Amino acid sequence: MKTGQTVPEAALDGHIAILGKTGSGKTFAAKGIVEALLRQQRQVCVLDPTGAWWGLRLAADGKAKGCDVFLFGGRHGDLPLTATSGAAFARLVTQQAANVVLDTSAMSVGEYTRWFIDFAGTLYTTVRNPMHLVIDEAHHFMPEAGRGGLKTHGDAPKMLHAGNRLMSGGRALGIRGMLITQRPAKLAKDSLTCADTLIAMRVLAPQDRAAIKAWIDGCGDPAVGNEVLGSLAGMKVGEAWVWYPEGQHLQRTRFGKIATYDSSATPKHGARRDVEVRPVDLSEVRSALEEQIREAEANDPARLRREIADLKRELASKAPATDEAAIKRGYDDGYADGAGLVRGLYEAVESRTREAIDAAVLAANGIESAVGRIIGEFSAFNMVMDEQIAAPACAVLGTADRPPAVKKVRADIPIPIRRAPAGSAVPPVCVPRTGRSDENGSLDRYQRALLAVLVDRSPVPTSRGQLGTLAGKSIRSSAFNPRLRSLVHAGYAHPVAGGFVATDVGRTALGVGYVSVPTSGPDALAHWLGKLPAYESSLLRTIADARMPLSAEEVAERSGRSLSSSAFRPALRNLRKLELVEQATGGRYGLAEQLR
């Protein structure tokens, strides 16, 4: 067994895995390798989650100067590490070529997870020259997925991916990784199998020995590996197998003493450490880090969320209290005024005089204009509130994308109602803003379809539901009510109890001499059967053929429809709304009297 230079020079240019149980001397061995690298003027970056590497800066006696390295984080750090500083320190390593120890031992799991994701990602994209990346207790940063390993929640998968990426793709960029762990079974296999050299120290746990065997099966000779595995449990502190298959190097060796202070040694009972790490000149380092850390903290999502939440609370505290009583009074007053206007409109239309109709049209125009004005005011208010809330939020986010300027709403433009010229016998129809007129500028196709039904059925009133069915238009359409209202405003249709009827003016405006269709008896029934949808027509025919009231079950059975169908009950209800079916006592359905 040899002591001294224990790792072949060629192996230092690849990835190395140092595996051994706690107390086996793996960190001590790694420090000896790092000291040799620093003496060769190679760049080294150590990730230290245990707080055991600060002794590199001191000689073995703990007083004289050791290696030229910067210490960041932990109890002895020249500067602290924060969760948002990962990218900044990665750039310090790659752009300033600094030798550093990054101590994450004072961070919580969530903090060092966030830090490592940023550090590893930035290191991978900015590294330009060869460097040695030492990761102590590497299973903290690259945990094995699956049972007992990586938890799939939070940012842990991102951290694992960032670490695996450093090992699998980093060598081509100049990264020489050194993974150190006391739990090989918990280190991600994707990272462990990237190691070109194995330094195996004392290992006892069967699952950890199995992880080493997996490396041997993939990289070394399984037959020779049995000798290595069989000896691991009996190895002494500092002893190790160094296996570099590519260089055909396999040697059992003992790592020698290190030249720097052994800050990783297990403290003895009653012993005190009076060692102080001397400060170094950080002027250049601080200037390189300050701007990057300030930028990272300014863009920290958690901080932004807190500031936005504070802003929302501040805005909410300034909002005026809602006066529920005032809202109810306004609603009641508005309802009463509206009801009075509507009554006046109907009374004016009932009188059928030109002066009263003109007055009614003016009143209707005033109502619609007032409604439009109110809607406009509320729209403007909402947009102003959006601006007041969004603008401070944008200021917090620091984005240049400001909300669009609020457009002034023109609330003084009344909804237009076209009136007849003085002395005209037939006034032109009111064409809604969304409507299209036909060639003569009077009626569009939609209006003509509605008016034709009213002319056909007059003087029998036609309800809205009946009008929509016979005209082939949906009463739920956004165009139905404006078109019907335009016919009433123009004097072509007249609202009465039970629906609407066409006026003589409307019949003339339609331009065709229509003969009223049957409104009662078998002929009216045949007319409806031809207009209804097929489903409703079949139910109406079934009820008509029965000549006696039927239960819903009987209607379904005789028509061949399913009683449990989602369309059955709505179809029966629609026939009742259209006044084609009557529901007698006991819930039975019979044909309406007008169709018998």
Side-chain angles (χ1 to χ4, degrees), residues 522-545:
D523 292 338
L525 174 61
H527 180 70
W528 277 105
L529 290 173
K531 290 291 186 178
L532 289 169
Y535 197 111
E536 294 174 9
S537 179
S538 68
L539 299 187
L540 180 60
R541 187 183 300 278
T542 299
I543 295 172
D545 291 345

PDB file of all heavy atoms in Angstrom, residues 522-545:
ATOM      1  N   PRO A 522    -107.204  22.428 -37.006  1.00  0.00           N
ATOM      2  CA  PRO A 522    -106.236  21.498 -37.601  1.00  0.00           C
ATOM      3  C   PRO A 522    -105.245  22.168 -38.543  1.00  0.00           C
ATOM      4  O   PRO A 522    -104.084  21.765 -38.617  1.00  0.00           O
ATOM      5  CB  PRO A 522    -107.116  20.491 -38.339  1.00  0.00           C
ATOM      6  CG  PRO A 522    -108.435  20.568 -37.637  1.00  0.00           C
ATOM      7  CD  PRO A 522    -108.598  21.996 -37.217  1.00  0.00           C
ATOM      8  N   ASP A 523    -105.714  23.208 -39.278  1.00  0.00           N
ATOM      9  CA  ASP A 523    -104.779  23.891 -40.187  1.00  0.00           C
ATOM     10  C   ASP A 523    -103.659  24.581 -39.411  1.00  0.00           C
ATOM     11  O   ASP A 523    -102.492  24.581 -39.830  1.00  0.00           O
ATOM     12  CB  ASP A 523    -105.543  24.911 -41.037  1.00  0.00           C
ATOM     13  CG  ASP A 523    -106.485  24.250 -42.029  1.00  0.00           C
ATOM     14  OD1 ASP A 523    -106.253  23.066 -42.351  1.00  0.00           O
ATOM     15  OD2 ASP A 523    -107.442  24.913 -42.468  1.00  0.00           O
ATOM     16  N   ALA A 524    -104.023  25.196 -38.280  1.00  0.00           N
ATOM     17  CA  ALA A 524    -102.995  25.838 -37.447  1.00  0.00           C
ATOM     18  C   ALA A 524    -102.040  24.792 -36.887  1.00  0.00           C
ATOM     19  O   ALA A 524    -100.818  25.011 -36.804  1.00  0.00           O
ATOM     20  CB  ALA A 524    -103.656  26.619 -36.317  1.00  0.00           C
ATOM     21  N   LEU A 525    -102.588  23.622 -36.509  1.00  0.00           N
ATOM     22  CA  LEU A 525    -101.731  22.543 -36.000  1.00  0.00           C
ATOM     23  C   LEU A 525    -100.737  22.101 -37.076  1.00  0.00           C
ATOM     24  O   LEU A 525     -99.526  21.945 -36.803  1.00  0.00           O
ATOM     25  CB  LEU A 525    -102.598  21.354 -35.567  1.00  0.00           C
ATOM     26  CG  LEU A 525    -101.845  20.090 -35.155  1.00  0.00           C
ATOM     27  CD1 LEU A 525    -100.936  20.357 -33.954  1.00  0.00           C
ATOM     28  CD2 LEU A 525    -102.821  18.954 -34.846  1.00  0.00           C
ATOM     29  N   ALA A 526    -101.221  21.920 -38.294  1.00  0.00           N
ATOM     30  CA  ALA A 526    -100.331  21.516 -39.388  1.00  0.00           C
ATOM     31  C   ALA A 526     -99.256  22.570 -39.634  1.00  0.00           C
ATOM     32  O   ALA A 526     -98.101  22.251 -39.935  1.00  0.00           O
ATOM     33  CB  ALA A 526    -101.160  21.278 -40.652  1.00  0.00           C
ATOM     34  N   HIS A 527     -99.646  23.847 -39.511  1.00  0.00           N
ATOM     35  CA  HIS A 527     -98.674  24.935 -39.700  1.00  0.00           C
ATOM     36  C   HIS A 527     -97.546  24.843 -38.662  1.00  0.00           C
ATOM     37  O   HIS A 527     -96.365  24.946 -39.005  1.00  0.00           O
ATOM     38  CB  HIS A 527     -99.403  26.271 -39.593  1.00  0.00           C
ATOM     39  CG  HIS A 527     -98.502  27.459 -39.764  1.00  0.00           C
ATOM     40  ND1 HIS A 527     -97.934  27.796 -40.958  1.00  0.00           N
ATOM     41  CD2 HIS A 527     -98.058  28.387 -38.857  1.00  0.00           C
ATOM     42  CE1 HIS A 527     -97.179  28.875 -40.821  1.00  0.00           C
ATOM     43  NE2 HIS A 527     -97.257  29.256 -39.538  1.00  0.00           N
ATOM     44  N   TRP A 528     -97.902  24.608 -37.402  1.00  0.00           N
ATOM     45  CA  TRP A 528     -96.900  24.514 -36.348  1.00  0.00           C
ATOM     46  C   TRP A 528     -96.025  23.267 -36.498  1.00  0.00           C
ATOM     47  O   TRP A 528     -94.819  23.323 -36.252  1.00  0.00           O
ATOM     48  CB  TRP A 528     -97.577  24.500 -34.982  1.00  0.00           C
ATOM     49  CG  TRP A 528     -97.909  25.878 -34.486  1.00  0.00           C
ATOM     50  CD1 TRP A 528     -99.129  26.467 -34.439  1.00  0.00           C
ATOM     51  CD2 TRP A 528     -96.978  26.829 -33.969  1.00  0.00           C
ATOM     52  NE1 TRP A 528     -99.046  27.738 -33.934  1.00  0.00           N
ATOM     53  CE2 TRP A 528     -97.722  27.986 -33.630  1.00  0.00           C
ATOM     54  CE3 TRP A 528     -95.604  26.834 -33.769  1.00  0.00           C
ATOM     55  CZ2 TRP A 528     -97.130  29.124 -33.108  1.00  0.00           C
ATOM     56  CZ3 TRP A 528     -95.011  27.971 -33.235  1.00  0.00           C
ATOM     57  CH2 TRP A 528     -95.763  29.104 -32.911  1.00  0.00           C
ATOM     58  N   LEU A 529     -96.612  22.157 -36.872  1.00  0.00           N
ATOM     59  CA  LEU A 529     -95.825  20.940 -37.048  1.00  0.00           C
ATOM     60  C   LEU A 529     -94.731  21.109 -38.098  1.00  0.00           C
ATOM     61  O   LEU A 529     -93.683  20.466 -38.047  1.00  0.00           O
ATOM     62  CB  LEU A 529     -96.735  19.768 -37.439  1.00  0.00           C
ATOM     63  CG  LEU A 529     -97.682  19.262 -36.333  1.00  0.00           C
ATOM     64  CD1 LEU A 529     -98.650  18.221 -36.891  1.00  0.00           C
ATOM     65  CD2 LEU A 529     -96.879  18.678 -35.168  1.00  0.00           C
ATOM     66  N   GLY A 530     -94.986  21.976 -39.070  1.00  0.00           N
ATOM     67  CA  GLY A 530     -93.979  22.237 -40.107  1.00  0.00           C
ATOM     68  C   GLY A 530     -92.921  23.231 -39.693  1.00  0.00           C
ATOM     69  O   GLY A 530     -91.874  23.332 -40.349  1.00  0.00           O
ATOM     70  N   LYS A 531     -93.179  23.981 -38.613  1.00  0.00           N
ATOM     71  CA  LYS A 531     -92.230  25.006 -38.182  1.00  0.00           C
ATOM     72  C   LYS A 531     -91.346  24.569 -37.018  1.00  0.00           C
ATOM     73  O   LYS A 531     -90.226  25.047 -36.865  1.00  0.00           O
ATOM     74  CB  LYS A 531     -92.996  26.272 -37.768  1.00  0.00           C
ATOM     75  CG  LYS A 531     -93.637  27.026 -38.919  1.00  0.00           C
ATOM     76  CD  LYS A 531     -92.556  27.676 -39.796  1.00  0.00           C
ATOM     77  CE  LYS A 531     -93.172  28.564 -40.876  1.00  0.00           C
ATOM     78  NZ  LYS A 531     -92.126  29.226 -41.694  1.00  0.00           N
ATOM     79  N   LEU A 532     -91.861  23.670 -36.179  1.00  0.00           N
ATOM     80  CA  LEU A 532     -91.118  23.263 -34.982  1.00  0.00           C
ATOM     81  C   LEU A 532     -89.912  22.380 -35.326  1.00  0.00           C
ATOM     82  O   LEU A 532     -89.928  21.693 -36.345  1.00  0.00           O
ATOM     83  CB  LEU A 532     -92.037  22.501 -34.030  1.00  0.00           C
ATOM     84  CG  LEU A 532     -93.105  23.313 -33.299  1.00  0.00           C
ATOM     85  CD1 LEU A 532     -94.097  22.364 -32.612  1.00  0.00           C
ATOM     86  CD2 LEU A 532     -92.478  24.239 -32.277  1.00  0.00           C
ATOM     87  N   PRO A 533     -88.910  22.352 -34.465  1.00  0.00           N
ATOM     88  CA  PRO A 533     -87.829  21.374 -34.628  1.00  0.00           C
ATOM     89  C   PRO A 533     -88.388  19.956 -34.584  1.00  0.00           C
ATOM     90  O   PRO A 533     -89.443  19.708 -34.009  1.00  0.00           O
ATOM     91  CB  PRO A 533     -86.911  21.657 -33.431  1.00  0.00           C
ATOM     92  CG  PRO A 533     -87.218  23.061 -33.028  1.00  0.00           C
ATOM     93  CD  PRO A 533     -88.662  23.271 -33.335  1.00  0.00           C
ATOM     94  N   ALA A 534     -87.677  19.009 -35.170  1.00  0.00           N
ATOM     95  CA  ALA A 534     -88.184  17.643 -35.324  1.00  0.00           C
ATOM     96  C   ALA A 534     -88.543  17.009 -33.981  1.00  0.00           C
ATOM     97  O   ALA A 534     -89.570  16.318 -33.866  1.00  0.00           O
ATOM     98  CB  ALA A 534     -87.140  16.791 -36.041  1.00  0.00           C
ATOM     99  N   TYR A 535     -87.746  17.239 -32.949  1.00  0.00           N
ATOM    100  CA  TYR A 535     -87.995  16.615 -31.649  1.00  0.00           C
ATOM    101  C   TYR A 535     -89.320  17.120 -31.066  1.00  0.00           C
ATOM    102  O   TYR A 535     -90.191  16.332 -30.660  1.00  0.00           O
ATOM    103  CB  TYR A 535     -86.842  16.928 -30.691  1.00  0.00           C
ATOM    104  CG  TYR A 535     -86.784  16.036 -29.473  1.00  0.00           C
ATOM    105  CD1 TYR A 535     -85.761  15.107 -29.316  1.00  0.00           C
ATOM    106  CD2 TYR A 535     -87.740  16.111 -28.468  1.00  0.00           C
ATOM    107  CE1 TYR A 535     -85.698  14.277 -28.214  1.00  0.00           C
ATOM    108  CE2 TYR A 535     -87.685  15.294 -27.349  1.00  0.00           C
ATOM    109  CZ  TYR A 535     -86.658  14.380 -27.227  1.00  0.00           C
ATOM    110  OH  TYR A 535     -86.602  13.568 -26.120  1.00  0.00           O
ATOM    111  N   GLU A 536     -89.492  18.457 -31.028  1.00  0.00           N
ATOM    112  CA  GLU A 536     -90.701  19.034 -30.469  1.00  0.00           C
ATOM    113  C   GLU A 536     -91.909  18.724 -31.354  1.00  0.00           C
ATOM    114  O   GLU A 536     -93.025  18.512 -30.854  1.00  0.00           O
ATOM    115  CB  GLU A 536     -90.520  20.541 -30.298  1.00  0.00           C
ATOM    116  CG  GLU A 536     -89.454  20.878 -29.262  1.00  0.00           C
ATOM    117  CD  GLU A 536     -89.161  22.365 -29.191  1.00  0.00           C
ATOM    118  OE1 GLU A 536     -89.914  23.140 -29.829  1.00  0.00           O
ATOM    119  OE2 GLU A 536     -88.203  22.757 -28.520  1.00  0.00           O
ATOM    120  N   SER A 537     -91.700  18.680 -32.668  1.00  0.00           N
ATOM    121  CA  SER A 537     -92.807  18.362 -33.582  1.00  0.00           C
ATOM    122  C   SER A 537     -93.333  16.955 -33.321  1.00  0.00           C
ATOM    123  O   SER A 537     -94.550  16.710 -33.347  1.00  0.00           O
ATOM    124  CB  SER A 537     -92.333  18.492 -35.032  1.00  0.00           C
ATOM    125  OG  SER A 537     -93.384  18.175 -35.931  1.00  0.00           O
ATOM    126  N   SER A 538     -92.430  15.997 -33.028  1.00  0.00           N
ATOM    127  CA  SER A 538     -92.878  14.621 -32.778  1.00  0.00           C
ATOM    128  C   SER A 538     -93.680  14.529 -31.489  1.00  0.00           C
ATOM    129  O   SER A 538     -94.665  13.785 -31.408  1.00  0.00           O
ATOM    130  CB  SER A 538     -91.667  13.694 -32.725  1.00  0.00           C
ATOM    131  OG  SER A 538     -90.868  13.968 -31.581  1.00  0.00           O
ATOM    132  N   LEU A 539     -93.287  15.297 -30.464  1.00  0.00           N
ATOM    133  CA  LEU A 539     -94.050  15.287 -29.216  1.00  0.00           C
ATOM    134  C   LEU A 539     -95.424  15.915 -29.411  1.00  0.00           C
ATOM    135  O   LEU A 539     -96.440  15.418 -28.894  1.00  0.00           O
ATOM    136  CB  LEU A 539     -93.277  16.035 -28.120  1.00  0.00           C
ATOM    137  CG  LEU A 539     -91.901  15.483 -27.726  1.00  0.00           C
ATOM    138  CD1 LEU A 539     -91.353  16.234 -26.516  1.00  0.00           C
ATOM    139  CD2 LEU A 539     -91.939  14.000 -27.434  1.00  0.00           C
ATOM    140  N   LEU A 540     -95.479  17.030 -30.162  1.00  0.00           N
ATOM    141  CA  LEU A 540     -96.761  17.694 -30.406  1.00  0.00           C
ATOM    142  C   LEU A 540     -97.689  16.791 -31.214  1.00  0.00           C
ATOM    143  O   LEU A 540     -98.900  16.697 -30.935  1.00  0.00           O
ATOM    144  CB  LEU A 540     -96.527  19.018 -31.143  1.00  0.00           C
ATOM    145  CG  LEU A 540     -97.787  19.827 -31.461  1.00  0.00           C
ATOM    146  CD1 LEU A 540     -98.539  20.206 -30.183  1.00  0.00           C
ATOM    147  CD2 LEU A 540     -97.418  21.090 -32.251  1.00  0.00           C
ATOM    148  N   ARG A 541     -97.160  16.099 -32.206  1.00  0.00           N
ATOM    149  CA  ARG A 541     -97.985  15.188 -33.014  1.00  0.00           C
ATOM    150  C   ARG A 541     -98.540  14.052 -32.142  1.00  0.00           C
ATOM    151  O   ARG A 541     -99.698  13.650 -32.283  1.00  0.00           O
ATOM    152  CB  ARG A 541     -97.168  14.622 -34.167  1.00  0.00           C
ATOM    153  CG  ARG A 541     -97.995  13.786 -35.162  1.00  0.00           C
ATOM    154  CD  ARG A 541     -97.102  13.195 -36.230  1.00  0.00           C
ATOM    155  NE  ARG A 541     -96.416  14.236 -36.981  1.00  0.00           N
ATOM    156  CZ  ARG A 541     -96.976  14.903 -38.000  1.00  0.00           C
ATOM    157  NH1 ARG A 541     -98.223  14.643 -38.361  1.00  0.00           N
ATOM    158  NH2 ARG A 541     -96.278  15.822 -38.634  1.00  0.00           N
ATOM    159  N   THR A 542     -97.698  13.530 -31.232  1.00  0.00           N
ATOM    160  CA  THR A 542     -98.134  12.448 -30.346  1.00  0.00           C
ATOM    161  C   THR A 542     -99.285  12.906 -29.461  1.00  0.00           C
ATOM    162  O   THR A 542    -100.290  12.192 -29.285  1.00  0.00           O
ATOM    163  CB  THR A 542     -96.956  11.976 -29.474  1.00  0.00           C
ATOM    164  OG1 THR A 542     -95.928  11.479 -30.320  1.00  0.00           O
ATOM    165  CG2 THR A 542     -97.389  10.899 -28.499  1.00  0.00           C
ATOM    166  N   ILE A 543     -99.154  14.102 -28.886  1.00  0.00           N
ATOM    167  CA  ILE A 543    -100.209  14.634 -28.019  1.00  0.00           C
ATOM    168  C   ILE A 543    -101.476  14.905 -28.810  1.00  0.00           C
ATOM    169  O   ILE A 543    -102.608  14.642 -28.344  1.00  0.00           O
ATOM    170  CB  ILE A 543     -99.705  15.906 -27.311  1.00  0.00           C
ATOM    171  CG1 ILE A 543     -98.536  15.564 -26.359  1.00  0.00           C
ATOM    172  CG2 ILE A 543    -100.833  16.592 -26.547  1.00  0.00           C
ATOM    173  CD1 ILE A 543     -97.848  16.754 -25.760  1.00  0.00           C
ATOM    174  N   ALA A 544    -101.334  15.404 -30.047  1.00  0.00           N
ATOM    175  CA  ALA A 544    -102.508  15.698 -30.879  1.00  0.00           C
ATOM    176  C   ALA A 544    -103.226  14.415 -31.287  1.00  0.00           C
ATOM    177  O   ALA A 544    -104.466  14.341 -31.294  1.00  0.00           O
ATOM    178  CB  ALA A 544    -102.094  16.490 -32.108  1.00  0.00           C
ATOM    179  N   ASP A 545    -102.470  13.394 -31.640  1.00  0.00           N
ATOM    180  CA  ASP A 545    -103.077  12.132 -32.084  1.00  0.00           C
ATOM    181  C   ASP A 545    -103.800  11.415 -30.942  1.00  0.00           C
ATOM    182  O   ASP A 545    -104.732  10.642 -31.178  1.00  0.00           O
ATOM    183  CB  ASP A 545    -102.001  11.213 -32.665  1.00  0.00           C
ATOM    184  CG  ASP A 545    -101.452  11.734 -33.992  1.00  0.00           C
ATOM    185  OD1 ASP A 545    -102.106  12.624 -34.584  1.00  0.00           O
ATOM    186  OD2 ASP A 545    -100.371  11.271 -34.407  1.00  0.00           O
TER     187      ASP A 545
END
